[in-house]
Amino acid sequence: MKRPTGSGVTLERNAGGFDDAVLGTCFNGRDPGDRPQVLVQANDASDVVAAIRRARRDNLKVSICSGGHSWMQNHLRDGCMLIDMSRLNRIEVDTERRLAYAGPGCWSVDLDKRLKKDGLFFPIAHAVDVCLGGYLLQGGFGWNSRVLGLACENVVGIDVVTADGELIHASESENADLFWAARGSGPGFFGVVVRYHLKVHPRPKVTGIAMQIFRMKHLEEVFAWADRVGPEVPRSVEFQLLLTRKATGIFAPGVEIIAPVLAQSWKQAREDVSFLTRGPLKSKASLRVPLIPVSTSLLSHMAAKRIFPPRMRWSVDNMWSDASMEQLLPGIRKIADTLPPMPSHVLMLSWHPPAKRQDMAFSVEGRNYLALYGEWKHESDDAKYANWATEHMREMSSLSVGIQLADENLGRRPARFMTDANMARLDAIRAKYDPDGRFHTWRGRLDRPS
């Protein structure tokens, strides 16, 4: 996606260029057909305040987008006001207090590059063109999140325009209930964040990656081994398994074991990824890539270019699971055997969350994360692939503890993404700040586990 430029403008439905501007907010190349009544391309907070006040006056519901990376295009709703926040992308850094201030339209990679100048770090998103707006609201699973916590746990404040058109600040000490709601409610948040206040950290001295590539016939062995070793993998490593039709180096269906690592020395980094070289399956690997230096920005660029190209047609779904690998493997094998062509892929993240998180709306995660990304180019293939991810996740739902909002498909498969207690608390806060239901919420929700 191209970075937006220019001043804020308002486009009415049926105006020249309206459709192109609306669809230009989407990473997904599919057109669901829904169109807002008005599109506001905000340039600053005052534009947002004016937009919300107009929405109140004209009785319009509101949806919001920043980078448009919502796979199911949650922000495209018929007859509403759509506020495009992509122009609010300013970054400021206070090195003494280790704080950064960033707009919701800021690309993750731009924040990373800016912080690098001062030797600082934030757990940015894995794809280069994911903007902070939706990423931070839904939780934020980024580089080094197993050490630093979810990205939203590193948000210390927000400047937000509420449903009554007022610009306020929310933090642990000011409008604390709204701050609680903002960290984990994702596209169901009932306000427009115009600036994030972020806690930043000393930058790890070393960033690298090690890999092993296996042919698909070894899938069961590789996943079983990964499940056994997962709890012992150092938290500096983001332990991933990727299924693809063209695995790196072998250009054939395979399983990639990927081990990005962020550490304070090369000695420590080599030790942290040594579980790969000590693994009993290394002799069966078709390709072994030793630890090599790769920056976080380059990692994000690599992911975007290879498996997240723009303007593809997407169907995505996911689940968190605490089930045994023995229970999961039949479903994973079926997924692998039906995997659509490249760049479609499947990610298994050996996550193993900490025993306790901060008190916030985000509240569902599990030992393993399984995400399915179906992608194709042509509308004629919609019938073939559109339900692939959702149907497989539906078949495995009995093994799920819930989903994460980053890769959700709630319009097709409502699923649990928050504990019942937190959902009830969120609903109460919503009734306080948005009593008229001005803001669109998720396309679907499930208040009880299926």
Side-chain angles (χ1 to χ4, degrees):
M1 296 176 76
K2 293 177 65 178
R3 290 172 174 81
T5 58
S7 300
V9 297
T10 298
L11 295 174
E12 306 292 333
R13 190 167 183 164
N14 299 322
F18 181 82
D19 267 20
D20 288 343
V22 168
L23 294 178
T25 65
C26 298
F27 182 80
N28 193 332
R30 299 175 73 184
D31 181 357
D34 292 333
R35 295 291 186 273
Q37 185 63 33
V38 58
L39 169 64
V40 177
Q41 298 172 328
N43 196 49
D44 54 29
S46 65
D47 286 345
V48 177
V49 169
I52 295 298
R53 290 178 178 176
R54 174 185 168 177
R56 286 170 55 86
R57 183 181 71 245
D58 295 349
N59 196 29
L60 293 170
K61 290 183 75 71
V62 175
S63 64
I64 309 152
C65 70
S66 297
H69 234 282
S70 168
W71 306 111
M72 67 168 297
Q73 300 155 296
N74 185 80
H75 62 284
L76 290 189
R77 304 296 184 97
D78 204 52
C80 72
M81 171 184 284
L82 171 58
I83 304 179
D84 177 357
M85 301 293 290
S86 56
R87 288 171 172 76
L88 279 76
N89 56 11
R90 185 176 178 182
I91 302 170
E92 301 174 67
V93 180
D94 184 336
T95 55
E96 290 188 7
R97 299 173 64 198
R98 286 187 182 167
L99 291 173
Y101 307 93
C106 170
W107 282 22
S108 287
V109 69
D110 288 340
L111 177 63
D112 190 54
K113 289 177 179 177
R114 175 62 185 84
L115 292 175
K116 189 175 183 179
K117 295 178 181 179
D118 295 311
L120 297 172
F121 185 84
F122 186 81
I124 64 163
H126 293 127
V128 62
D129 52 357
V130 170
C131 289
L132 293 182
Y135 171 69
L136 294 175
L137 287 175
Q138 57 84 12
F141 296 79
W143 300 119
N144 219 25
S145 277
R146 294 204 330 138
V147 173
L148 300 177
L150 302 176
C152 71
E153 292 182 281
N154 293 276
V155 175
V156 296
I158 57 173
D159 300 330
V160 56
V161 178
T162 59
D164 58 5
E166 297 298 320
L167 176 61
I168 66 174
H169 182 72
S171 66
E172 286 188 348
S173 59
E174 189 175 353
N175 298 303
D177 51 355
L178 191 61
F179 180 62
W180 179 92
R183 296 181 300 157
S185 57
F189 185 58
F190 32 90
V192 189
V193 179
V194 297
R195 188 168 72 153
Y196 287 96
H197 300 231
L198 308 174
K199 178 174 66 176
V200 295
H201 306 268
R203 195 171 191 90
K205 293 182 171 58
V206 170
T207 304
I209 190 171
M211 298 174 63
Q212 289 183 358
I213 314 300
F214 296 83
R215 294 193 177 273
M216 201 69 84
K217 65 182 181 180
H218 299 301
L219 182 150
E220 283 79 6
E221 291 178 278
V222 171
F223 273 75
W225 167 79
D227 191 57
R228 290 195 301 272
V229 75
E232 304 167 10
V233 173
R235 300 200 69 79
S236 62
V237 177
E238 188 171 301
F239 187 23
Q240 308 173 20
L241 279 75
L242 191 76
L243 303 181
T244 170
R245 288 286 185 193
K246 290 185 179 180
T248 299
I250 64 173
F251 307 103
V255 183
E256 302 182 4
I257 298 179
I258 307 172
V261 58
L262 288 83
Q264 294 307 311
S265 69
W266 279 108
K267 179 180 179 181
Q268 186 62 56
R270 283 191 291 270
E271 176 59 30
D272 288 352
V273 300
S274 64
F275 70 95
L276 274 180
T277 56
R278 296 195 305 261
L281 300 178
K282 63 180 181 179
S283 63
K284 296 183 179 181
S286 298
L287 177 66
R288 296 191 292 273
V289 180
L291 180 65
I292 57 174
V294 181
S295 69
T296 46
S297 293
L298 183 55
L299 283 171
S300 296
H301 275 287
M302 290 165 58
K305 184 176 182 179
R306 183 182 174 216
I307 57 178
F308 295 131
R311 309 315 300 167
M312 300 293 289
R313 305 173 74 83
W314 291 86
S315 178
V316 176
D317 210 332
N318 76 87
M319 73 177 197
W320 289 109
S321 181
D322 289 327
S324 69
M325 189 54 62
E326 183 180 10
Q327 293 172 296
L328 292 169
L329 273 174
I332 294 173
R333 167 52 73 179
K334 189 173 180 181
I335 289 167
D337 290 344
T338 60
L339 185 62
M342 282 290 287
S344 299
H345 59 283
V346 176
L347 171 69
M348 172 71 88
L349 182 59
S350 182
W351 185 242
H352 298 276
K356 188 175 181 180
R357 291 282 187 199
Q358 295 179 23
D359 183 21
M360 55 186 176
F362 179 92
S363 48
V364 169
E365 57 190 326
R367 188 177 69 191
N368 287 311
Y369 178 66
L370 181 65
L372 280 59
Y373 305 85
E375 43 193 306
W376 60 100
K377 290 184 178 180
H378 305 295
E379 184 178 358
S380 58
D381 288 328
D382 284 0
K384 188 186 302 183
Y385 301 128
N387 289 319
W388 172 77
T390 300
E391 290 307 312
H392 282 293
M393 288 294 87
R394 184 175 285 117
E395 289 177 8
M396 297 180 70
S397 62
S398 63
L399 304 176
S400 171
V401 298
I403 67 164
Q404 68 150 305
L405 290 172
D407 299 325
E408 46 90 6
N409 201 342
L410 294 173
R412 289 179 177 267
R413 187 178 71 92
R416 180 177 185 255
F417 52 84
M418 194 176 294
T419 64
D420 296 340
N422 278 25
M423 183 62 83
R425 182 176 173 184
L426 185 67
D427 286 343
I429 300 171
R430 183 193 310 279
K432 172 183 174 182
Y433 285 93
D434 187 15
D436 299 323
R438 181 69 53 204
F439 289 97
H440 274 297
T441 183
W442 316 278
R443 285 194 179 269
R445 65 182 261 185
L446 187 67
D447 289 320
R448 295 290 185 271
S450 57

